[in-house]
Amino acid sequence: MGKYANHEEFGINAPINYREDSTSESFLKGMSSIAPPGMKPRQSRGNKFEEKTDFKASARWHKNFDMAMFGGSDIGTTDFESRQMSLEKKVNGVKRIPGRQ
C-alpha cells in the first residue's frame, strides 16, 4: 500500500514534506555521494538549493505532479499557490505523515 490513503492526504502532506526534506544538508549529502574522489560540493550551492525549495516551489511541484500523474491538477493552473495554501490549512482534518526520518 502507498504512503498516502487518498489524493487529499497526498496533496496536504507531500508538499510540506518536500519543503521540510529539501535542506542544504540533504543536497550536500546527495552531491557528495556522486562527486569524484577528492572533491566535494560547495556549501553555497546547498544554501541556494534550500532557498529555491520554498512554498512556491512545493506548490509548483504538486501542480506538476498532478498534471503528469492524473492529467490535470486539482489545485488549478492559474492560482495554484493560493489553492495549495488553502489545501494545507486543512491539515488539521487530515493525518499528518512526516517525511524522511
Side-chain angles (χ1 to χ4, degrees):
M1 189 170 140
K3 184 172 184 174
Y4 306 108
N6 55 45
H7 192 260
E8 184 176 60
E9 198 172 275
F10 166 81
I12 291 172
N13 283 286
I16 296 170
N17 290 340
Y18 173 86
R19 289 194 304 271
E20 290 174 353
D21 294 343
S22 299
T23 63
S24 60
E25 292 84 23
S26 66
F27 175 82
L28 294 172
K29 182 179 176 186
M31 293 305 291
S32 294
S33 67
I34 62 170
M39 297 189 76
K40 65 179 189 170
R42 286 183 247 155
Q43 181 69 37
S44 61
R45 294 201 183 215
N47 294 338
K48 193 174 285 190
F49 171 79
E50 190 166 345
E51 288 171 11
K52 293 184 179 209
T53 54
D54 59 358
F55 173 79
K56 284 186 172 197
S58 68
R60 190 170 43 254
W61 171 82
H62 180 207
K63 179 184 82 78
N64 291 339
F65 182 88
D66 282 347
M67 296 293 279
M69 297 302 290
F70 305 108
S73 178
D74 65 332
I75 59 171
T77 56
T78 54
D79 63 342
F80 65 90
E81 291 171 12
S82 62
R83 301 267 317 268
Q84 178 67 39
M85 182 67 80
S86 65
L87 184 63
E88 288 185 19
K89 287 180 182 173
K90 289 190 204 175
V91 78
N92 295 335
V94 176
K95 182 181 176 190
R96 178 73 176 102
I97 303 170
R100 296 184 187 108
Q101 298 177 357

